[in-house]
Amino acid sequence: TAEGEATVIFVLGGPGAGKGTQCSNIVRDYKFKHLSAGDLLREEQDRKGSDFGDLIKEYIRDGKIVPMEVTIQLLENAMQATIKNDGINKFLIDGFPRKMDQAIQFEKSVCKSNFTLFFECTEKVMEERLLNRGKTSGRADDNEESIRKRFRTFVETSMPVVDYFEKDGRVVKIQAVQTPDEVYEHVKLGFTERGI
Ligand code: UP5
Ligand code: MG
């Protein structure tokens, strides 16, 4: 398949680590398409006629991982559309895979990732950022209770994915506590080291 030939970089990190912010920087300077799994799920949640709207809403509010079939299908559709309509076959897949079953299944049935860009940040800093964003974001999960649940899911369910790729030598780790510009300097260095 066309998407099987694509270049895929997974972008992971805790809630509020700055994945979306740095992906915006990257697409400005490199020929990548940014696909945020969370954004795709929120779009699907709001789509009239979706069978998954209520399910997605509940999972996101509780910081749980939506069953992988839904998310993988949304990503695969978006990748196919991008290849067809924009002629781009390089992807930043942001906020996915955040559970082991997703990682295995995506690399088996869609495309193997080149590497994972992992943003490392403390919970204290992430919480501050999310509560601040929550004042204006309208996101149903930018509140203290959902944030606590998102942190727990990240530690228990998503970190094992990072550890798995790390054992395979496929993680570029970036310290994400500094300013967005400082963090981005490290992203660019990491890309250069990986031949991007
Ligand atoms: N900010 C960013 N960088 C900063 C910096 N260096 N210094 C100071 N401030 C900085 O940034 C968050 C906020 O911090 C912004 O206000 C920003 O300006 C500021 P952002 O770039 O948005 O961080 P990001 O890591 O993208 O945070 P996000 O909240 O999007 O992370 P999540 O991983 O929690 O959210 P996501 O949308 O990926 O997922 C939401 C939910 O969807 C999940 O909890 C889950 O329920 C569901 N989901 C699935 O079920 N399956 C999936 O595969 C994916 C998602
Ligand atoms: Mg995001």
Side-chain angles (χ1 to χ4, degrees):
T1 58
E3 65 274 20
E5 315 272 286
T7 300
V8 166
I9 297 174
F10 292 142
V11 181
L12 296 179
K19 301 181 291 296
T21 302
Q22 295 302 327
C23 283
S24 300
N25 286 332
I26 295 166
V27 295
R28 191 189 58 221
D29 296 338
Y30 300 83
K31 206 170 177 293
F32 273 84
K33 173 76 175 183
H34 173 208
L35 295 178
S36 157
D39 287 349
L40 290 170
L41 286 166
R42 283 182 286 272
E43 266 170 42
E44 176 67 17
Q45 177 195 302
D46 296 338
R47 188 174 66 81
K48 279 207 185 70
S50 168
D51 290 333
F52 306 114
D54 292 340
L55 176 133
I56 293 171
K57 192 175 187 172
E58 186 194 317
Y59 273 74
I60 288 185
R61 194 198 46 225
D62 290 340
K64 294 186 304 190
I65 310 302
V66 172
M68 68 170 172
E69 291 75 13
V70 176
T71 314
I72 290 179
Q73 192 61 61
L74 291 172
L75 283 169
E76 204 172 356
N77 292 349
M79 288 173 76
Q80 282 167 355
T82 302
I83 292 169
K84 185 160 166 266
N85 303 331
D86 310 340
I88 297 177
N89 74 342
K90 298 201 265 182
F91 298 93
L92 296 169
I93 300 197
D94 163 3
F96 175 97
R98 52 214 294 161
K99 194 172 172 188
M100 268 316 294
D101 64 347
Q102 296 178 329
I104 304 278
Q105 183 61 26
F106 184 91
E107 290 210 307
K108 194 167 111 191
S109 70
V110 183
C111 184
K112 193 166 154 130
S113 65
N114 194 314
F115 60 88
T116 292
L117 195 59
F118 173 57
F119 291 106
E120 198 165 48
C121 198
T122 62
E123 283 192 2
K124 184 167 171 290
V125 168
M126 294 192 290
E127 182 183 28
E128 213 173 271
R129 289 178 186 173
L130 292 174
L131 288 174
N132 188 43
R133 186 182 64 185
K135 292 175 197 158
T136 54
S137 68
R139 268 181 60 163
D141 59 351
D142 279 347
N143 59 75
E144 253 174 74
E145 191 181 343
S146 292
I147 290 169
R148 197 167 52 243
K149 292 176 178 172
R150 290 156 73 192
F151 284 167
R152 187 180 322 142
T153 300
F154 174 69
V155 171
E156 290 174 358
T157 309
S158 304
M159 268 317 287
V161 176
V162 178
D163 296 339
Y164 165 77
F165 287 131
E166 181 144 47
K167 285 200 187 83
D168 199 29
R170 285 196 284 154
V171 173
V172 172
K173 199 183 281 184
I174 307 282
Q175 296 308 322
V177 178
Q178 296 168 299
T179 67
D181 287 347
E182 285 166 335
V183 174
Y184 187 52
E185 288 306 314
H186 293 283
V187 171
K188 285 191 283 190
L189 283 174
F191 270 36
T192 305
E193 277 167 21
R194 292 275 164 160
I196 300 283

